[in-house]
Amino acid sequence: MTNTDKILVLDFGSQYTQLIARRIRENRVYSEIFPFNVPFKKIMDFNPKGIILSGGPSSVYDKKAPIPDIRIFDLGIPVLGICYGMQLMAHLLGGRVAKAQKREFGRAELIIDDNSDLFKGIGQVARSKRQDTKGSSSLLTSHFSPFTVVWMSHGDRIERKPAGFTSIAHTENSPIAAMANKKRHFYALQFHPEVVHTDKGKEIIRNFIFSICGCRPKWTMKSFIETEKEEIRERVGNQRVVCGISGGVDSSVTAVLVHAAIGDALTCIFVDNGLLREGEARKVENMLRKNFHMKIRCVDASERFLRKLKGVKDPERKRKIIGNEFIRVFEEEAMKIKEVGFLAQGTLYPDVIESVSFKGPSATIKSHHNVGGLLKKMKLKLIEPLRELFKDEVRVLGHELGMQDEIINRHPFPGPGLAIRCISDITRQRLDILRKADTIVLDEIKKAGLYVKLWQAFAVLLPVKSVGVMGDERTYDNVIAIRAVTSVDGMTADWAQIPYEVLGRISNRIINEVKGVNRVVYDISSKPPSTIEWE
Ligand code: XMP
């Protein structure tokens, strides 16, 4: 990302660090998160127009307090410290930080004392006009309307400002809730402008990146696509690339982007493990083949997977078997392609941020799929063109690349697929029942216009049978549970309040149309303490 103005976020472990980067990118300015102890040279190479120091759980006086390279203050670029970042600035630039007598968590009223660039348009001098008798208006009074609600979360506070700083805002409990050294363009906030609870947070961030750092809003998906395509072409040269397609958003968008860069030098491999939803395999294959004219090798490996899963009831064993088998099938198929030098995969930004949250800077980077062995054996290098993007940015990218909304707005689907929704034993017959019921759930959810409002909706086949009566006969058949949740990131979730009529239609249709099911129940548990999946 060379031709665009950039803001660097140094991470000190705050749960909100990612949010800071997102807020900046929403303004079409590129931003990356580096761990606080990144080598100084990397910061210089990144060449940011400004630096933001994130919050964090530490106190600057902790023995193990995360401290950045102090030369960041000599780069001649603006710096904004947030919460711990503010205390760090005070500490490193000659001020004093101490435990606050009253810790401040949650909502607070900020009183702006100085109309600096950072607060431009917020709590400005409000001008009242009064008509005079001749009808012309004149400026009569000026008064300050300085209140705005902010989100606090701190135990320490600034006792003495560093030289050159002035206080620019206060709250009831924090005499210095914001401070600035306007000459050096250093700003610091005790509150979090990146969270939605801070009323004018977006404006404050905009003021920092545009008015103070002078960034231009040039980072668009179009420019991203062009830069990425060029980089992929340059790296790949005359070699070939393989890409595993799972049916999910990330791998499909990766494939379409790489294909846009190198065309037929990309071969996609789609492993049908027999655990996909109804028609899923065909839908993705058709989209990539027909709309994008890609080379795809489809491997029907369902027999293999089902054989390995026979009699396996334990969810974690199911996961292991499926993961290992996938690697094996993929490897066999990839070996058949000549001159492959690269493996493309859909790793996203949240997977690669070296977050220092709670674990220290050596926190492990999640490996997206277990492809280490494959890379070694075939001597492949990785291409991860989405590794700078957040999930919603990937959707925008897919849209920009001309992919159908139906594919890019898909609900997440777990790697082990229906295996962990077919509770206990997995057989072809049980999978068929589940697949039919699942299709009805999704169909009715979509018809009711609820699909886009939900994080996930699906059917689960339970390992119990219950008594029913159909016509004049008693039945002893399967039970289907419906699961539908709302969530922002899958970490926590609420059960969705689906209207009774929709639930009624789903239940009627499943019992009438799916042979072997005589009862449908709705799961009304939230996460935590439950999980989204049943296994
Ligand atoms: P839970 O059930 O833990 O799920 O609340 C959270 C999110 O993760 C998905 N999930 C998985 N995804 N492999 C995956 O790729 C898995 O083994 C797996 N287990 C759960 C789940 O669908 C939900 O979106």
Side-chain angles (χ1 to χ4, degrees):
M1 208 54 57
T2 42
N3 297 330
T4 184
D5 293 341
K6 291 172 287 193
I7 297 285
L8 172 64
V9 180
L10 277 188
D11 180 24
F12 295 90
S14 163
Q15 55 180 321
Y16 302 129
T17 303
Q18 282 194 35
L19 267 184
I20 304 174
R22 301 190 59 144
R23 290 285 105 86
I24 298 167
R25 289 181 181 201
E26 278 164 14
N27 287 293
R28 295 167 56 188
V29 171
Y30 186 66
S31 167
E32 274 195 34
I33 299 168
F34 287 1
F36 71 88
N37 54 357
V38 63
F40 186 63
K41 171 153 187 335
K42 241 185 123 182
I43 296 179
M44 300 232 290
D45 290 347
F46 185 66
N47 192 21
K49 297 267 285 186
I51 297 179
I52 296 185
L53 313 177
S54 87
S58 314
S59 163
V60 288
Y61 293 117
D62 288 349
K63 270 209 190 100
K64 289 192 174 159
I67 306 280
D69 193 312
I70 195 159
R71 286 174 290 176
I72 56 171
F73 297 109
D74 299 329
L75 287 170
I77 58 174
V79 180
L80 171 66
I82 294 175
C83 200
Y84 175 80
M86 175 189 206
Q87 286 138 24
L88 203 56
M89 277 171 89
H91 180 61
L92 295 176
L93 298 173
R96 196 172 64 229
V97 178
K99 283 257 162 291
Q101 275 152 356
K102 261 195 190 165
R103 289 145 66 92
E104 219 177 353
F105 287 100
R107 199 177 171 283
E109 213 159 62
L110 185 81
I111 296 141
I112 296 169
D113 304 312
D114 178 311
N115 226 359
S116 73
D117 276 353
L118 195 61
F119 295 139
K120 207 159 69 177
I122 307 159
Q124 270 175 321
V125 175
R127 296 172 194 284
S128 323
K129 288 180 176 175
R130 197 180 70 179
Q131 300 269 314
D132 65 20
T133 44
K134 288 180 191 134
S136 63
S137 61
S138 60
L139 196 64
L140 281 185
T141 52
S142 286
H143 69 268
F144 221 44
S145 69
F147 299 103
T148 181
V149 169
V150 296
W151 191 255
M152 290 282 193
S153 168
H154 66 108
D156 289 355
R157 73 176 203 192
I158 311 291
E159 286 282 301
R160 192 186 64 224
K161 302 180 292 283
F165 277 78
T166 50
S167 169
I168 54 174
H170 70 276
T171 66
E172 199 183 332
N173 293 319
S174 293
I176 309 172
M179 62 178 190
N181 179 334
K182 293 185 196 170
K183 213 162 129 207
R184 297 185 72 188
H185 307 292
F186 292 163
Y187 292 83
L189 303 170
Q190 189 59 80
F191 56 91
H192 291 273
E194 68 276 23
V195 304
V196 288
H197 315 287
T198 292
D199 268 354
K200 303 282 183 186
K202 283 185 178 176
E203 285 84 342
I204 293 174
I205 287 179
R206 263 204 294 272
N207 284 341
F208 180 69
I209 59 181
F210 294 127
S211 304
I212 296 170
C213 299
C215 291
R216 293 153 302 167
K218 289 207 161 174
W219 186 69
T220 61
M221 258 324 147
K222 270 202 177 68
S223 67
F224 175 84
I225 291 172
E226 288 318 310
T227 318
E228 277 306 309
K229 275 172 29 183
E230 228 162 82
E231 274 175 25
I232 294 169
R233 274 196 286 267
E234 218 165 85
R235 269 195 78 196
V236 172
N238 294 327
Q239 292 181 290
R240 304 193 59 83
V241 180
V242 278
C243 178
I245 297 291
S246 69
V249 183
D250 308 338
S251 63
S252 316
V253 175
T254 303
V256 173
L257 179 58
V258 174
H259 184 258
I262 58 167
D264 273 354
L266 169 74
T267 305
C268 294
I269 299 176
F270 188 94
V271 178
D272 184 352
N273 56 11
L275 303 164
L276 301 169
R277 288 179 144 154
E278 187 77 49
E280 194 101 312
R282 287 284 149 267
K283 215 181 278 171
V284 177
E285 189 192 339
N286 277 345
M287 188 270 299
L288 296 179
R289 242 194 248 287
K290 286 197 181 138
N291 299 7
F292 294 95
H293 312 289
M294 281 189 201
K295 271 195 208 161
I296 308 175
R297 288 170 174 249
C298 289
V299 192
D300 181 357
S302 51
E303 274 301 330
R304 261 174 93 156
F305 278 85
L306 292 192
R307 220 178 311 128
K308 290 259 162 160
L309 288 166
K310 198 167 171 203
V312 178
K313 291 187 167 70
D314 176 64
E316 288 318 301
R317 263 197 26 92
K318 285 182 182 176
R319 283 186 167 83
K320 279 221 171 72
I321 291 171
I322 294 164
N324 289 339
E325 202 54 21
F326 173 82
I327 297 282
R328 246 173 248 142
V329 178
F330 189 86
E331 205 171 87
E332 283 168 21
E333 209 52 35
M335 294 276 203
K336 294 180 192 161
I337 308 166
K338 291 203 180 77
E339 287 162 16
V340 179
F342 293 87
L343 172 73
Q345 69 173 22
T347 314
L348 302 194
Y349 197 41
D351 301 330
V352 294
I353 297 174
E354 290 178 68
S355 169
V356 294
S357 320
F358 312 113
K359 290 187 192 158
S362 60
T364 46
I365 302 172
K366 261 201 281 173
S367 76
H368 207 55
H369 297 297
N370 187 15
V371 291
L374 179 69
L375 296 176
K376 252 197 210 145
K377 205 167 181 177
M378 292 183 64
K379 298 200 176 70
L380 298 183
K381 283 163 280 194
L382 269 182
I383 295 187
E384 297 175 314
L386 311 184
R387 61 181 287 124
E388 289 165 354
L389 302 184
F390 292 107
K391 186 86 178 182
D392 49 347
E393 291 171 339
V394 172
R395 293 201 159 108
V396 178
L397 172 63
H399 190 78
E400 198 70 47
L401 287 165
M403 295 173 70
Q404 293 158 272
D405 284 350
E406 197 199 338
I407 304 275
I408 51 186
N409 292 330
R410 283 237 168 116
H411 287 172
F413 185 66
L418 299 184
I420 54 167
R421 295 175 181 173
C422 192
I423 310 305
S424 193
D425 269 334
I426 302 169
T427 62
R428 240 182 224 286
Q429 191 211 4
R430 295 193 77 221
L431 283 172
D432 278 348
I433 292 176
L434 174 58
R435 208 172 266 126
K436 284 184 183 133
D438 188 66
T439 305
I440 293 171
V441 172
L442 279 190
D443 187 39
E444 290 299 333
I445 292 283
K446 282 181 184 165
K447 274 190 198 149
L450 296 171
Y451 187 81
V452 286
K453 296 182 185 152
L454 300 175
W455 170 260
Q456 275 172 311
F458 53 88
V460 182
L461 178 61
L462 305 191
V464 287
K465 295 209 166 178
S466 79
V467 174
V469 49
M470 278 191 189
D472 292 331
E473 280 181 40
R474 277 172 84 80
T475 56
Y476 190 56
D477 264 336
N478 290 292
V479 183
I480 285 284
I482 305 167
R483 184 69 164 142
V485 295
T486 55
S487 174
V488 178
D489 51 15
M491 305 293 281
T492 60
D494 285 322
W495 62 274
Q497 308 221 356
I498 307 263
Y500 284 163
E501 309 87 76
V502 180
L503 289 174
R505 272 199 298 277
I506 293 173
S507 165
N508 265 343
R509 278 193 60 195
I510 291 177
I511 291 169
N512 285 325
E513 296 172 31
V514 185
K515 203 157 170 272
V517 179
N518 67 357
R519 192 177 297 268
V520 174
V521 295
Y522 188 48
D523 179 351
I524 51 166
S525 353
S526 289
K527 173 184 179 178
S530 300
T531 51
I532 298 175
E533 303 288 349
W534 274 48
E535 277 195 337

